[in-house]
């Protein structure tokens, strides 16, 4: 599948559903369930190899896993979460993106959070990074942590002012070459609808506990729905519960 063909799967009102996976086996399971595309989640992929989220896993290890997933699910487009790119310089970022494409990925997530720091990258700086990755051949799902940051800090991410800030980033990121705009943490239906109506770039929502259904998200104008670390966490919880039952005799 080409980059443009993958982009065509992102339709407002008919969202691409991505049940995020972490290795070749989980990718095959999701493919058998009827997935139209395969997407990794950073927390699950790193955790499956004993690393924390936040670019703790070596990039070479990420590449090996990406190659394994691509080989196990040939015929389905693969999007890999590369967090903030595992690089500071634009040249290294572009090299990493090209390596992911060579590994079999058609797209990636690229976030504007400062890994190991506080806050978000400047809009213009992040736009340059998105452009570099796009030129390397990947469909960029530009993730903003405008909402996820407050959510993880125990604050309410569903604020109109944050939506305004995100809309400005969405426009800049789209102009830089992003094909989709990812807003994890935003869960209020009215604000999601506003986000979708105020931008021309496809909007990617992430499932959170208590959110409206996928059908309702589609009706709001969402073009892509991700499950994030949820599948990984539930799978590991199930394994732990099964093991505990076995050890209990």
């Amino acid at each position: 599948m080409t980059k443009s063909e993958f982009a065509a799967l992102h339709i407002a009102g008919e969202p691409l559903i991505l049940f995020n996976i972490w290795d070749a086996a989980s990718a095959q399971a999701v493919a058998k369930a009827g997935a139209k595309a395969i997407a990794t989640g950073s927390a699950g992929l790193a955790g499956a190899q004993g690393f924390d989220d936040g670019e703790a896993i070596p990039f070479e290890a990420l590449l090996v896993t990406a190659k394994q997933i691509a080989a196990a699910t040939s015929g389905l487009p693969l999007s890999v979460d590369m967090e903030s790119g595992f690089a500071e310089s634009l040249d290294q970022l572009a090299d990493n993106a090209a390596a992911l494409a060579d590994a079999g990925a058609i797209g990636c997530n690229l976030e504007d959070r400062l890994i190991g720091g506080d806050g978000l990258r400047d809009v213009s700086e992040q736009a340059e990074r998105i452009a570099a990755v796009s030129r390397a051949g990947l469909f960029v799902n530009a993730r903003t942590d405008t909402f996820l940051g407050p959510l993880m800090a125990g604050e309410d991410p569903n604020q109109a002012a944050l939506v305004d800030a995100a809309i400005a980033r969405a426009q800049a990121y789209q102009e830089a070459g992003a094909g989709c705009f990812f807003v994890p943490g935003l869960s209020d239906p009215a604000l999601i609808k506003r986000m979708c109506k105020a931008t021309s770039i496809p909007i990617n929502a992430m499932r959170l506990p208590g959110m409206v259904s996928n059908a309702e998200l589609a009706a709001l104008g969402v073009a892509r729905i991700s499950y994030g670390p949820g599948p990984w966490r539930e799978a590991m919880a199930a394994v732990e519960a099964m093991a505990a039952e076995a050890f209990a005799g």
Side-chain angles (χ1 to χ4, degrees), residues 177-200:
C180 190
F181 188 63
F182 189 19
V183 291
L186 183 64
S187 61
D188 179 83
L191 294 180
I192 292 174
K193 183 176 182 179
R194 179 182 167 194
M195 188 83 231
C196 293
K197 284 187 171 295
T199 59
S200 57

Side-chain angles (χ1 to χ4, degrees), residues 46-195:
Q49 298 188 54
F51 295 96
D52 291 332
D53 199 9
E55 298 188 5
I57 185 172
F59 186 70
E60 288 302 318
L62 174 66
L63 281 179
V64 169
T65 302
K67 289 177 183 178
Q68 292 170 343
I69 293 169
T73 56
S74 58
L76 286 177
L78 169 63
S79 182
V80 175
D81 189 340
M82 66 185 303
E83 302 193 62
S84 70
F86 290 78
E88 280 302 315
S89 76
L90 292 179
D91 287 344
Q92 185 59 57
L93 178 63
D95 287 347
N96 287 352
L100 269 183
D102 289 342
I106 194 69
C108 72
N109 282 7
L110 187 69
E111 64 193 55
D112 56 17
R113 178 172 67 99
L114 289 166
I115 300 291
D118 294 321
L120 309 181
R121 290 186 187 273
D122 178 78
V123 174
S124 60
E125 179 188 5
Q126 184 65 8
E128 290 181 344
R129 295 172 68 82
I130 289 168
V133 173
S134 179
R135 286 193 298 267
L138 292 178
F139 175 93
V140 180
N141 185 36
R143 168 179 144 175
T144 184
D145 274 26
T146 299
F147 307 100
L148 193 58
L151 179 63
M152 295 179 68
E155 303 168 5
D156 181 12
N158 293 297
Q159 300 179 41
L162 294 181
V163 172
D164 291 338
I167 289 170
R169 285 185 178 266
Q171 293 169 340
Y173 295 174
Q174 182 178 27
E175 291 172 2
C180 190
F181 188 63
F182 189 19
V183 291
L186 183 64
S187 61
D188 179 83
L191 294 180
I192 292 174
K193 183 176 182 179
R194 179 182 167 194
M195 188 83 231

